Amino acid sequence: MTINVAVATFDAVVLGCDSLSSRVERAFFPFREGSSFAVDAAGNQMRDAEGNLLVSYRQDQLAYTATTVMGGVRKMFILFEDVNGHCDCSVAAVTSGLATMDGITIAEHANRYRLQLDRDKVVFSEVVSLANHFLAHMRGLWEADYVRQGFSHPSQAALRFMVAGYCRDDARFKVFRVSVEENICIDQLSEEPYTGAAWDGQSNFAARLIMGVDPGLQDQVSRGIVEALKAQRDSLLDSFTKAIVAAGIQDLELDLDESVPAAPPWSSAIAPIDWGNMPIQTAIELVSALVNTESGMQKFVQGIPVVGGRTRIGLLRRNVPFAMLNEPALSHIHTGYLTDA
């Protein structure tokens, strides 16, 4: 898993991600869900020919589990940069999901894509055009690998990107969430003031810091509300039916209107952050804090930590080439921002 973060202000876009990569395999945990040894129809424990107790197997007990974790993985890269003295276009991305396709890392696929654009002298005037072009390119590679690997469902081969930056005709910075398996490209800053934060991958704790709630909890609470309302409705109908029968009423027609309940006011818990006017240095520190929080909390949850390692930070500003602020070769740039921004 991975955490990807993008924070857009009026002056810049800051990208962040971790640097761990994990190998995920399907594993069977027969006792994790309260199961026990297999029994026959009479309730007797079953044994094999050697006298070993047998374990009952259920398909729903198969889980995708990290078995190997590696650090130092490159998840942030530049997709396109038109440097002609003014840097009219600079677009970078962070990725989550699949780490390789056809034996090649996603970062190297992106590097080959960028070099091909340069060889073909392709120029983009808007980030949305580049994001959709990149999606089409990766989708073709993904479909071929999907068939080759024999995946049974697209979610098993999830591949997503946060694509951010600016081009010549863009009036503002753009951030897009690109899902290759869903074949969609969605603008994350489509409403005024066109600034804010976006995240993807394993980002529950980061989301809680900013939103006050993460998507998983939202879904859980929403399902609980629906189930509670259904139980209440069934109870009321049962009581009403019994009352009608007891009163001897026979000819009664009812038209029940069952509407979907309104969602809880999730937005009321959003942190009151002035995204647009945030100084660049502050945005850098916020992105770093969000990534580090997600990485740090992984130490305390069940299982192998799958988010962590070195935090990568990238900076996109108009008329300035993309910079990886905490890369060893660019440490002087990072120091300059810490003191000058």
Side-chain angles (χ1 to χ4, degrees):
M1 292 296 290
T2 299
I3 178 170
N4 293 160
V5 177
V7 168
T9 73
F10 292 140
D11 293 325
V13 175
V14 181
L15 293 174
C17 65
D18 70 316
S19 57
L20 284 189
S21 178
S22 56
R23 179 181 176 84
V24 178
E25 300 179 80
R26 299 185 81 185
F28 176 47
F29 300 97
F31 304 113
R32 181 169 287 183
E33 302 299 330
S35 300
S36 60
F37 290 106
V39 296
D40 59 21
N44 301 312
Q45 289 186 332
M46 302 174 65
R47 299 177 181 269
D48 61 15
E50 299 178 354
N52 299 310
L53 288 170
L54 299 178
V55 175
S56 58
Y57 168 80
R58 296 206 321 263
Q59 183 72 20
D60 62 356
Q61 289 176 322
L62 275 176
Y64 285 93
T65 305
T67 57
T68 305
V69 177
M70 296 159 286
V73 177
R74 186 167 159 238
K75 303 178 183 179
M76 182 182 299
F77 32 77
I78 190 165
L79 291 181
F80 179 77
E81 200 160 62
D82 182 17
V83 182
N84 54 9
H86 302 286
C87 195
D88 291 333
C89 184
S90 183
V91 181
V94 285
T95 185
S96 62
L98 287 177
T100 63
M101 287 194 301
D102 194 22
I104 301 171
T105 65
I106 301 303
E108 178 57 24
H109 277 299
N111 184 56
R112 296 182 182 187
Y113 171 79
R114 178 178 59 84
L115 293 175
Q116 186 62 51
L117 293 179
D118 185 59
R119 284 192 295 267
D120 295 342
K121 300 187 183 305
V122 177
V123 177
F124 296 96
S125 60
E126 293 182 310
V127 176
V128 64
S129 300
L130 170 58
N132 280 296
H133 187 275
F134 179 65
L135 170 59
H137 173 79
M138 296 304 293
R139 177 73 184 191
L141 297 174
W142 179 86
E143 288 178 346
D145 195 65
Y146 183 87
V147 173
R148 183 166 42 247
Q149 296 287 346
F151 293 110
S152 59
H153 192 276
S155 62
Q156 298 175 11
L159 176 59
R160 297 187 295 275
F161 299 90
M162 298 281 289
V163 177
Y166 66 91
C167 285
R168 183 184 66 246
D169 294 343
D170 288 314
R172 55 184 175 83
F173 290 103
K174 295 295 186 74
V175 177
F176 290 93
R177 178 179 281 113
V178 173
S179 173
V180 177
E181 76 273 15
E182 296 177 288
N183 201 24
I184 56 174
C185 177
I186 302 175
D187 188 347
Q188 299 300 288
L189 306 174
S190 60
E191 299 180 1
E192 290 190 40
Y194 309 116
T195 58
W199 46 80
D200 204 1
Q202 182 66 36
S203 53
N204 286 347
F205 295 105
R208 290 176 191 178
L209 282 177
I210 302 300
M211 304 293 294
V213 63
D214 65 79
L217 182 57
Q218 287 185 15
D219 183 62
Q220 183 179 353
V221 171
S222 297
R223 288 201 311 269
I225 291 174
V226 171
E227 291 171 1
L229 289 175
K230 180 180 183 301
Q232 183 185 53
R233 179 201 63 198
D234 292 343
S235 176
L236 287 173
L237 285 175
D238 182 62
S239 299
F240 191 55
T241 300
K242 290 179 179 178
I244 292 175
V245 172
I249 301 174
Q250 297 182 353
D251 297 326
L252 178 65
E253 293 184 3
L254 291 176
D255 185 12
L256 298 179
D257 181 16
E258 184 176 12
S259 59
V260 178
W266 302 118
S267 60
S268 63
I270 295 177
I273 297 175
D274 184 358
W275 300 102
N277 294 306
M278 184 182 296
I280 294 177
Q281 181 60 45
T282 304
I284 292 171
E285 293 168 357
L286 176 56
V287 169
S288 179
L290 292 175
V291 175
N292 290 337
T293 295
E294 194 68 41
S295 297
M297 290 301 295
Q298 288 284 311
K299 299 176 183 178
F300 309 109
V301 299
Q302 183 180 21
I304 301 174
V306 292
V307 177
R310 183 171 184 163
T311 296
R312 311 287 187 183
I313 303 293
L315 177 62
L316 291 145
R317 294 174 295 163
R318 283 197 177 275
N319 305 316
V320 179
F322 172 72
M324 292 278 286
L325 301 186
N326 51 354
E327 285 297 292
L330 298 172
S331 58
H332 62 287
I333 299 177
H334 187 222
T335 302
Y337 253 95
L338 286 174
T339 57
D340 298 337

